[in-house]
Amino acid sequence: MALLSGLCSAFLSLLIFGPAPLIGMGLVFGASIASISAAFGALSMLYVAGGVDTLLYLGTTAIPSAITIWIAFKSSETGSRPDCGKILATISVFGLLVISFITIDILSIGTWIETQIEKTFGQFFSQLQLGSNPEQKQHAANAYKLMVHYASSIAPAGLAIVAFIILVLNGVFVERILFHSDKSTLRRPHYSSTKLPNWLCVLFFTSIIACFFPNFLGKLGLNSAIFLSFPFLLAGLAVIHTLSRRSDRKKSILFGVYIALFVLGVLFGLLFVLAGCLAFLGAVEQWAGLRRRFGPDQSISKEDE
């Protein structure tokens, strides 16, 4: 089962579902089986795709999935529910290590990513320049250089955030399926009650300050700040979910909020602004305790039971 799960994970990682088999095996059979499955997945990836893809699989899928299961079981040893805040914080620290690994360009991973970015933008702009006059070609060439420069500078954070999102979505999806089928060996976590540790908030604001430094430290700070904004964005959404429970029309409120986020973020191009606001709300929640102050009397919603 562990071998099959690892093979499925390696294959499904190409389709953004790589963490699902590992998390599923862990929730049903335990943390050790999840780690063994991750090892088999890495070996199969090494055999098929080579060293660089194996490192990416380990850093974005296998190790984060194994960490998630280990912490979930560790925090449940006393009979309590899995500590989502601790899981997110630990994955965040691991993500910072991956970002540092790429930024320092250990084993030329950073160079490989920059090469892929250049190829992707190069193909796009080569099509854009077809039939263009010399002046338009020059503008396209300048835009190409500018986009490659900025895309390369934030590529480590972009890769880490995408992997984080995939991990969270797969984890929630698999947990819900196993919970409703009564297969999971863990109690259901309180997603809307997730609280990040205060030291992660300090690390987040420290990385923002580091953005203003030149050269390597500035690049590392920028990527770290972008990446660390994601767990606080989730905390900001948790605040909205908690406050919506004060009303009898919770589902309608949440539907309206997410529609507004989609319209303003995607259709009006304010996605990064809204993400920054949600992350700031999540950071404020760490110190102000908005959910505790303004949330409903019952801290556990029906769907968390």
Side-chain angles (χ1 to χ4, degrees):
M1 290 295 291
L3 175 60
L4 180 62
S5 174
L7 292 175
C8 289
S9 173
F11 173 74
L12 292 176
S13 64
L14 304 174
L15 306 172
I16 77 171
F17 297 111
L22 305 180
I23 294 174
M25 287 293 292
L27 290 176
V28 175
F29 298 106
S32 299
I33 299 299
S35 299
I36 295 172
S37 299
F40 279 127
L43 289 174
S44 61
M45 183 66 75
L46 180 63
Y47 178 77
V48 174
V52 174
D53 290 317
T54 302
L55 287 174
L56 290 175
Y57 172 76
L58 283 170
T60 61
T61 301
I63 296 178
S65 300
I67 290 175
T68 299
I69 294 298
W70 274 102
I71 296 178
F73 273 92
K74 187 68 176 178
S75 59
S76 303
E77 288 179 349
T78 59
S80 60
R81 300 172 188 265
D83 187 346
C84 293
K86 188 174 182 181
I87 292 174
L88 290 175
T90 307
I91 297 298
S92 297
V93 172
F94 176 76
L96 290 179
L97 294 176
V98 172
I99 288 174
S100 301
F101 189 91
I102 296 174
T103 305
I104 298 173
D105 202 16
I106 299 175
L107 300 179
S108 299
I109 298 296
T111 301
W112 181 85
I113 292 176
E114 290 181 4
T115 301
Q116 299 305 311
I117 292 174
E118 290 177 1
K119 287 182 179 179
T120 302
F121 281 109
Q123 293 172 356
F124 172 76
F125 280 98
S126 63
Q127 295 295 323
L128 193 64
Q129 289 178 338
L130 292 177
S132 302
N133 58 46
E135 184 178 356
Q136 290 175 328
K137 288 184 177 180
Q138 183 60 42
H139 286 310
N142 294 334
Y144 166 72
K145 293 179 182 179
L146 188 63
M147 292 186 69
V148 167
H149 171 73
Y150 283 109
S152 299
S153 64
I154 63 172
L159 176 65
I161 285 182
V162 169
F164 209 157
I165 293 174
I166 291 173
L167 177 68
V168 170
L169 293 179
N170 277 266
V172 173
F173 178 70
V174 171
E175 186 275 328
R176 283 183 178 272
I177 291 178
L178 294 178
F179 174 79
H180 290 296
S181 61
D182 200 27
K183 298 292 184 182
S184 177
T185 55
L186 292 176
R187 298 178 64 190
R188 191 164 197 192
H190 292 157
Y191 296 116
S192 60
S193 300
T194 299
K195 178 169 173 53
L196 299 170
N198 289 332
W199 58 261
L200 191 64
C201 191
V202 175
L203 192 60
F204 178 43
F205 285 107
T206 301
S207 63
I208 293 176
I209 295 174
C211 294
F212 298 97
F213 286 83
N215 303 324
F216 168 77
L217 187 59
K219 182 178 180 180
L220 182 60
L222 175 63
N223 282 275
S224 300
I226 294 174
F227 173 69
L228 288 176
S229 67
F230 180 68
F232 288 100
L233 184 151
L234 295 179
L237 290 176
V239 172
I240 295 175
H241 276 252
T242 301
L243 297 182
S244 70
R245 295 210 300 269
R246 294 175 61 92
S247 172
D248 295 332
R249 309 184 67 179
K250 171 190 172 183
K251 292 184 178 180
S252 299
I253 293 174
L254 290 178
F255 179 78
V257 168
Y258 281 106
I259 287 296
L261 290 175
F262 175 79
V263 172
L264 294 175
V266 178
L267 300 184
F268 286 87
L270 299 175
L271 183 62
F272 292 107
V273 175
L274 293 175
C277 292
L278 286 173
F280 181 75
L281 177 62
V284 171
E285 154 67 15
Q286 297 303 117
W287 303 100
L290 300 177
R291 285 176 288 181
R292 185 184 67 255
R293 292 171 181 266
F294 305 109
D297 293 334
Q298 283 189 322
S299 61
I300 302 175
S301 63
K302 292 181 180 179
E303 67 267 21
D304 282 334
E305 292 289 352

